[in-house]
Amino acid sequence: MDISSKTYFDKLNWLYEQSLAFAREREIRLLKTSYAQKVDICTDRQVHISSWSVRKDKRNIELWAIGSADNISGYVFGVHFNYDPLIDRTAAEIDASAVNPKITPPHLQPHARLWLQRYHNEELSMSTHEHIKGLSKLENSSFEQAEILDGTTKLPDKGALVHSEYTMYAHFLLVARLLGNVKQVHYSLDREAGIRNAFMLANKERVSNGSAHAFYVKNRTGLTVDEKKEIVKDFYKAFRVIAGKSFRSATGTERYNTIISMLRQNIPQAKLIPFSKQMWLRHPHFTMPEPEKLVAALTPITHLSIQEQSELYKPSSLAAIDRFFMFVRRRVSLLERSKSVASSERRKWHGYSAYDPYSYLKVMEIVRLFYNYCLKAKDGTTAAMRLGLAKRPIRLESIVYFEK
């Protein structure tokens, strides 16, 4: 692109502000009307690692983005990073230094949600082994996906890194507010440290009255394409045995009833897996993106009939948010995966990665808006149309020249 960096960032900032204004005007409608009887929300996280800007300091800034999307419409309700660009960390450090950490517990200290330098240093003083060992003891945690700080990472020079659990809480509270007018909400959650507590905090009343249910979803990873194809073939064979016809020739109702029947058979076979207190069920519907899927209920369902439990297990999937994250990786160079340096274990560098973490927030919000309102499926509809927030695909010009 033959423009100066100043021009680029000026345009990026302007487009970001336009995107925020457009999304605000559309999504505020969700607070005022009942737009759906039921939504199937899936939530996952994605890591983004900035490139180092000084050759002598090859540490990265590691940012985690948490996103939630609707499996029915594909609409992405939000993607939020554990980073606050508006914080003056130097001032925050001064405020925190006035408090005696031996007297005041961390969660009651000033700026408790932020990673301050002294706490970052304390984290680095722990061995990686002991840190991971401790994380593995967290309830329902997946320690390989948790927030890990070591000698390869640093705090941002501008703004402040936020503790991941605070970002999770804020994210789920926002999504819960946007879904306030929906009668029934089904959540599929990736197995991450802290994600269950964040969901429960934001949906306490709905869980109590039975209008919200949540499930962990765990997919087998590391399979080759050929291995995935064989697994999907096995599902098709099992489906034919029960339904008496192929999956492709079956109607939507026949597919639904057959998978429910398969789930009814699997419920008594649920079992515990390592580092989990939940009973995990083998979901029978295998697909290429989600082969050999395991599902665990996080909200009370054992008082329900086997049929009702099967109907709650069935929609459990991370497909919608994983599809969005894949789109981000493949279509936006700034957000694609970084590459490891051969001589380092976790140090990463990529020519397209951002040096300023704020750029990730801006670009992600612009992409989210495009994905929801402009990107058309094969049938010509967009996610916003399927959710009821738009009557037709939105032209880019309508966003660029949107009047606040």
Side-chain angles (χ1 to χ4, degrees):
M1 188 180 297
D2 191 20
I3 61 173
S4 67
S5 59
K6 182 181 183 305
T7 300
Y8 168 79
F9 285 110
D10 285 346
K11 295 294 184 183
L12 176 63
N13 293 338
W14 178 70
L15 188 55
Y16 172 62
E17 293 297 329
Q18 289 295 105
S19 298
L20 287 178
F22 185 90
R24 186 184 304 114
E25 189 273 336
R26 291 292 173 130
E27 292 179 347
I28 200 171
R29 301 176 189 177
L30 301 178
L31 305 177
K32 301 176 181 179
T33 60
S34 178
Y35 54 92
Q37 289 294 308
K38 179 184 177 184
V39 292
D40 293 332
I41 301 297
C42 54
T43 303
D44 199 357
R45 293 201 303 164
Q46 186 180 68
V47 66
H48 293 274
I49 303 175
S50 70
S51 294
W52 57 76
S53 56
V54 181
R55 194 171 186 84
K56 293 182 179 180
D57 185 359
K58 295 184 178 180
R59 293 177 298 166
N60 304 109
I61 301 167
E62 191 170 86
L63 303 178
W64 283 93
I66 181 170
S68 291
D70 176 23
N71 274 321
I72 299 174
S73 66
Y75 192 90
V76 181
F77 284 94
V79 182
H80 303 103
F81 286 85
N82 61 330
Y83 173 73
D84 190 334
L86 305 180
I87 290 292
D88 182 344
R89 190 162 59 84
T90 301
E93 299 277 4
I94 294 173
D95 288 344
S97 65
V99 176
N100 187 342
K102 294 182 180 180
I103 299 176
T104 307
H107 65 280
L108 295 179
Q109 294 176 21
H111 310 289
R113 70 188 181 96
L114 305 178
W115 275 105
L116 300 181
Q117 192 62 57
R118 67 177 178 182
Y119 299 121
H120 185 264
N121 293 340
E122 289 174 5
E123 192 77 9
L124 296 183
S125 68
M126 298 172 60
S127 68
T128 302
H129 172 75
E130 288 300 319
H131 184 64
I132 294 177
K133 182 179 177 181
L135 285 171
S136 69
K137 295 179 181 178
L138 290 174
E139 182 184 11
N140 307 321
S141 74
S142 173
F143 56 85
E144 66 269 21
Q145 293 296 322
E147 187 179 50
I148 298 176
L149 301 178
D150 59 21
T152 68
T153 62
K154 68 172 186 175
L155 298 179
D157 297 324
K158 298 178 181 179
L161 207 62
V162 178
H163 288 280
S164 289
E165 57 267 34
Y166 284 85
T167 306
M168 288 184 187
Y169 293 153
H171 175 83
F172 276 104
L173 286 168
L174 173 62
V175 173
R177 188 182 178 198
L178 293 175
L179 302 178
N181 291 317
V182 178
K183 188 175 181 180
Q184 288 286 334
V185 184
H186 180 286
Y187 281 85
S188 300
L189 310 176
D190 192 25
R191 190 168 170 245
E192 300 257 5
I195 204 167
R196 174 185 177 276
N197 290 340
F199 162 79
M200 290 296 185
L201 173 73
N203 295 276
K204 183 178 179 180
E205 290 186 9
R206 299 200 71 153
V207 171
S208 297
N209 63 33
S211 64
H213 287 281
F215 295 79
Y216 273 147
V217 176
K218 178 180 173 64
N219 295 305
R220 185 178 174 185
T221 58
L223 296 172
T224 65
V225 172
D226 289 338
E227 288 172 333
K228 291 180 181 180
K229 287 180 178 179
E230 287 301 315
I231 291 171
V232 173
K233 277 185 183 179
D234 290 339
F235 161 69
Y236 287 150
K237 291 177 183 177
F239 183 94
R240 181 183 284 274
V241 169
I242 295 176
K245 59 174 60 178
S246 69
F247 182 81
R248 288 187 176 181
S249 64
T251 64
T253 300
E254 290 171 334
R255 291 179 181 181
Y256 178 89
N257 290 335
T258 301
I259 294 173
I260 289 294
S261 177
M262 298 168 81
L263 280 165
R264 289 172 60 93
Q265 296 176 16
N266 289 354
I267 286 177
Q269 302 172 25
K271 60 183 180 180
L272 291 170
I273 65 172
F275 305 115
S276 177
K277 296 181 179 180
Q278 283 75 37
M279 299 296 289
W280 289 78
L281 172 75
R282 185 174 182 266
H283 199 294
H285 190 185
F286 297 149
T287 63
M288 291 295 287
E290 295 185 312
E292 295 196 5
K293 181 166 58 178
L294 296 178
V295 183
L298 298 178
T299 48
I301 64 169
T302 53
H303 63 286
L304 301 174
S305 68
I306 296 296
Q307 176 69 20
E308 291 171 322
Q309 291 182 46
S310 300
E311 291 171 353
L312 287 173
Y313 274 118
K314 184 186 178 300
S316 301
S317 171
L318 299 174
I321 191 61
D322 285 350
R323 190 181 305 117
F324 172 74
F325 280 153
M326 186 181 297
F327 175 86
V328 164
R329 292 292 198 196
R330 293 181 175 179
R331 298 283 292 272
V332 186
S333 58
L334 182 76
L335 301 174
E336 69 182 25
R337 290 188 185 277
S338 302
K339 297 178 181 178
S340 298
V341 176
S343 60
S344 306
E345 291 185 2
R346 294 187 70 230
R347 291 192 176 96
K348 308 243 179 207
W349 184 88
H350 197 281
Y352 294 122
S353 294
Y355 298 102
D356 180 4
Y358 201 0
S359 296
Y360 287 120
L361 278 69
K362 296 173 182 176
V363 172
M364 185 68 83
E365 182 60 24
I366 294 170
V367 173
R368 184 182 79 91
L369 192 68
F370 171 80
Y371 186 89
N372 283 335
Y373 292 90
C374 305
L375 187 67
K376 294 184 288 187
K378 291 181 180 179
D379 63 0
T381 65
T382 65
M385 291 170 63
R386 294 187 291 272
L387 188 66
L389 286 180
K391 295 181 178 179
R392 61 185 64 85
I394 303 299
R395 296 184 304 135
L396 289 174
E397 292 85 349
S398 299
I399 299 171
V400 172
Y401 299 109
F402 177 73
E403 294 185 5
K404 304 175 185 178

